[in-house]
Amino acid sequence: MPSLDAARRRLRLSDAHVSVLGLLVEEGSVPGELQNAHAELKQAGVIDAEDKIVTDLYPLVSTLMEPRIIVRVEVTSPQGVTNSGAVVGDEFIFTHESWPGSHESEYVPAEPETLVWALTRTVDLHRDFTTGSDTGETIVSVMGRVDAVIERMETGTSEEPAAIAEATGAPVRLAEVLAQLNCMWRMTVVWKGDGAARTESGLAVSALAVWDCGLEGYWLRELPAEPVTEGQVDASSELRVRHVSAKELWQMITDLLPDGAQLATA
């Protein structure tokens, strides 16, 4: 069920609830497949009997309808895939975080000065456990070896990394690092304006992909380089990951966000 915490301007909404709010603003009507979500919003007091959205939702709805920057964070772990991120508008910023197994996300207001901190929280960026170890180590292989190693580890036979590497044809170091894997995450930032990767639609994209490997630290996936499109990567695609520090990742996340000069004025 959706819910509203007016005191702290927090909301719990699913994608279906967000779609209903957008349709009510743009078209004033809701199709049949979204009637359940529509009814839940009424029951929660988010919209009234006449389908008017409560005043407390104006900042969020106005930001979702006309975003300047959209950040998507996709985290893949043994519990599945969760999607979090942020939406930046002309006046307001909201971050949102999902919970494994839940259809709803919590939307929370943020200030410009706290946006990077909020984004690092969605991926649980924390101090390095690998104190004293050198960063910069690189592992090279192909993407198919990653899947093979993970599948072998999921069999539950508790093989040593060296044995897994031999069975899959992967580098031993790759098996050692993946043996400590907590999750993989990708952060993608999209905006209308100028940027390193600009699409035909005029949208600019910046992104990075990281492995959080616990005691083995953080590993930045340099190849295949983000952003990647559907069908661009297969089992034979070259893999290159580099050991990086939490401090480096903080700066990389900061650099993903466009500055004022890169944003389109229209």
Side-chain angles (χ1 to χ4, degrees):
M1 282 292 292
S3 56
L4 169 65
D5 177 1
R8 296 178 59 189
R9 295 183 295 156
R10 298 185 302 166
L11 301 106
R12 287 182 60 85
L13 299 169
S14 68
D15 290 344
H17 297 140
V18 173
S19 296
V20 169
L21 295 173
L23 288 167
L24 290 176
V25 171
E26 288 190 330
E27 302 178 14
S29 61
V30 178
E33 62 267 22
L34 290 174
Q35 285 303 318
N36 285 341
H38 186 203
E40 288 175 346
L41 289 170
K42 283 188 174 182
Q43 185 178 346
V46 176
I47 56 177
D48 63 20
E50 299 178 351
D51 282 346
K52 292 183 179 179
I53 300 172
V54 298
T55 305
D56 290 326
L57 256 70
Y58 166 76
L60 175 60
V61 174
S62 64
T63 302
L64 292 173
M65 296 299 291
E66 295 186 5
R68 298 295 300 276
I69 304 170
I70 297 175
V71 184
R72 178 174 179 175
V73 181
E74 181 183 87
V75 179
T76 303
S77 73
Q79 291 182 285
V81 179
T82 58
N83 290 294
S84 303
V87 185
V88 180
D90 286 325
E91 298 181 75
F92 306 103
I93 298 174
F94 279 85
T95 62
H96 57 93
E97 293 188 48
S98 61
W99 191 268
S102 174
H103 294 296
E104 295 176 351
S105 297
E106 183 180 65
Y107 289 80
V108 181
E111 297 298 323
E113 297 82 5
T114 65
L115 178 56
V116 173
W117 178 88
L119 292 176
T120 62
R121 203 189 97 165
T122 65
V123 296
D124 187 31
L125 185 67
H126 49 71
R127 71 184 69 180
D128 293 303
F129 294 129
T130 53
T131 304
S133 65
D134 293 332
T135 58
E137 178 187 359
T138 300
I139 302 172
V140 177
S141 185
V142 294
M143 290 298 294
R145 296 288 186 266
V146 175
D147 295 334
V149 169
I150 292 176
E151 288 174 6
R152 187 87 180 187
M153 290 178 174
E154 289 176 345
T155 62
T157 55
S158 300
E159 292 179 287
E160 291 296 321
I164 293 175
E166 183 177 358
T168 59
V172 174
R173 191 69 183 111
L174 179 63
E176 290 174 343
V177 167
L178 289 176
Q180 300 295 327
L181 181 66
N182 290 327
C183 68
M184 297 179 176
W185 55 265
R186 296 195 305 170
M187 187 176 296
T188 306
V189 182
V190 181
W191 68 93
K192 189 172 183 179
D194 296 323
R198 185 167 177 170
T199 66
E200 295 179 357
S201 64
L203 295 176
V205 182
S206 61
L208 59 85
V210 175
W211 300 351
D212 178 348
C213 295
L215 295 176
E216 287 285 359
Y218 291 109
W219 294 77
L220 174 70
R221 199 191 73 209
E222 296 181 321
L223 291 176
E226 292 287 341
V228 296
T229 57
E230 186 175 353
Q232 183 180 343
V233 177
D234 59 26
S236 64
S237 298
E238 182 180 359
L239 168 75
R240 186 175 74 223
V241 292
R242 178 169 58 87
H243 187 204
V244 295
S245 67
K247 181 178 180 180
E248 288 178 280
L249 282 178
W250 181 286
Q251 188 59 53
M252 290 177 191
I253 292 172
T254 303
D255 293 341
L256 286 182
L257 298 168
D259 57 32
Q262 291 176 299
L263 292 172
T265 56

